[in-house]
Amino acid sequence: MSCLLSHTHTPLREEPFLSSYRLVGKELGRGKFAVVRKCVELSSGKEYAAKFLRKRRKGEDCRSDIINEIAILEMARLSPYVVDLHEVYETNSEIVLVMEYAAGGEIFEQCVADQDEAFTEKDVVRLISQILQGVLHLHRSNVVHLDLKPQNILLTSSSPLGDIRIVDFGLSRQVDAIKEIREILGTPEYVAPEVLSYEPISTATDMWSVGVLTYVMLTGVSPFLGDTKQETFLNISQVNIQYSQEDFQGISEPAIDFIKSLLVKNPRKRIRADQCLKHPWLNSATESEPLKDTAVEKEEREAEVTEEIVLLAAYTVH
Ligand SMILES: Cc1cnc(Nc2ccc(CC#N)cc2)nc1Nc1cc(C2CC2)[nH]n1
C-alpha cells in the first residue's frame, strides 16, 4: 500500500516487555492481528495500555504497516486528543506499542447507554469539538484516520465525563497528493460513499465518519445500519438517512444542520474540520436550545407573565 510512513524516532526496545511491565486484568480490545492489555510500569507504578501487534499476517510480513502506525502516533503526539505513545518493544514475532491508558473506555458504551447515562447534547458539543481538534491536527499533516467510530474514541474518564483520546491508527495513511488510495477500508457503518465506489480517499473521508459519529452520540442510533452489510452499503451510497422526530426529540436544529453539512455524498462539498469548529452548533455561547413549536413557546411565555403578575401582586399586598 502506498502512502505508508516509514521512519520513526521511537527506539524499538529488544529487552523483554515483561522485564519492565506487569499485565493487569482482562483484554481491553482485540482485533484480527492485535490484542490490547492494561499494564503497569514496574519502575513508576503508572498504568498503560499495551497493544501487541503480530508482524506476520496471512503469511505476509506486515512490519511496515506497524512502523506506519508508530510514525503517525509520533506525528500526532502534539495533539492532546490523540492517545500518547510511551514506548515500543520488538520481538521476533511481535511489536508492542505501550500507550497512554484511557480509563474511561470507549464512548461506544455511552452511545448505547440508557437515556439517564447517555450523553447530553452539551456533552456531545464538547466531545465532538475535541475529536475535531484531534482530526484537524492529523489533516494538517495530510494524514487520514480512516476508521473513526465510537469504538476508537476513548474517554480519560467516564464519570465524571473526561476528555477524548483518538486511538487505532492501524488503517491511517498519509494522503499523497498524487497517488489515490482506492482500497476498501474502515468499518461498514462509518465508511464514506467514495470508499464504496473506489473513488479517491481524502481528508473529507474522515469528515463523513465524524458526521456519523455525531448522529450516533446524539441519538444512540446508527443512521445507515441495515440488516446486512450490503443493505448498509446501499444506504450509504444513496445517503439514505432520516432525522426522525422520535430519534431527535429535544435535539437542536443547529445539531441537525451540523450533521447534514457532513453527510454529503460529494466529498468536495463536505465541510472540513476547521470549518466544523466554526459551525454555530459548536459556538453558541449558551447551549443550543431545542427549537420548540411557537404555540408551546407562546403558552409558556404567557404562563411566565401570569406568574410574574401574581408574584408582583403578592409582593404589593405585603
Ligand atoms: C479502559 C479501556 C477500555 N476499552 C478500550 N478499548 C479499546 C478500543 C480500541 C483499541 C484499539 C487501539 N489501538 C484498543 C482498546 N480501551 C481502554 N483503554 C485504553 C486503550 C488504550 C490504547 C489504545 C490502546 N489506552 N487506554
Side-chain angles (χ1 to χ4, degrees), residues 53-115:
L53 290 143
R54 289 214 335 255
K55 288 196 281 190
R56 289 198 68 74
R57 304 167 183 178
K58 296 182 183 167
E60 272 186 41
D61 175 16
C62 294
R63 188 174 187 276
S64 57
D65 289 278
I66 301 170
I67 297 301
N68 174 70
E69 183 170 353
I70 295 169
I72 288 173
L73 282 165
E74 285 174 350
M75 178 276 296
R77 180 160 274 161
L78 289 177
S79 169
Y81 302 117
V82 172
V83 71
D84 189 53
L85 178 65
H86 179 58
E87 276 191 322
V88 181
Y89 288 78
E90 180 167 16
T91 67
N92 291 335
S93 58
E94 283 183 322
I95 289 181
V96 186
L97 308 186
V98 182
M99 290 179 272
E100 167 189 6
Y101 179 64
E106 302 165 17
I107 63 164
F108 177 79
E109 306 308 330
Q110 277 175 255
C111 290
V112 297
D114 297 335
Q115 191 61 27

Side-chain angles (χ1 to χ4, degrees), residues 27-30 34-38 48-51 69 73 83-84 97 99-106 109 150-155 165-170:
E27 287 176 7
L28 296 173
R30 174 176 282 274
V35 65
V36 179
R37 297 284 303 272
K38 181 178 175 181
Y48 291 95
K51 185 174 183 179
E69 183 170 353
L73 282 165
V83 71
D84 189 53
L97 308 186
M99 290 179 272
E100 167 189 6
Y101 179 64
E106 302 165 17
E109 306 308 330
Q151 296 89 331
N152 282 338
I153 306 293
L154 305 185
L155 288 165
R165 295 290 183 270
I166 300 170
V167 302
D168 203 350
F169 294 82

Side-chain angles (χ1 to χ4, degrees), residues 154-192:
L154 305 185
L155 288 165
T156 54
S157 159
S158 52
S159 177
L161 189 61
D163 296 320
I164 70 101
R165 295 290 183 270
I166 300 170
V167 302
D168 203 350
F169 294 82
L171 293 179
S172 303
R173 294 292 182 271
Q174 180 101 28
V175 182
D176 188 318
I178 306 153
K179 296 188 200 66
E180 291 156 351
I181 310 171
R182 297 170 179 272
E183 191 179 317
I184 282 269
L185 301 169
T187 305
E189 291 166 65
Y190 298 85
V191 86

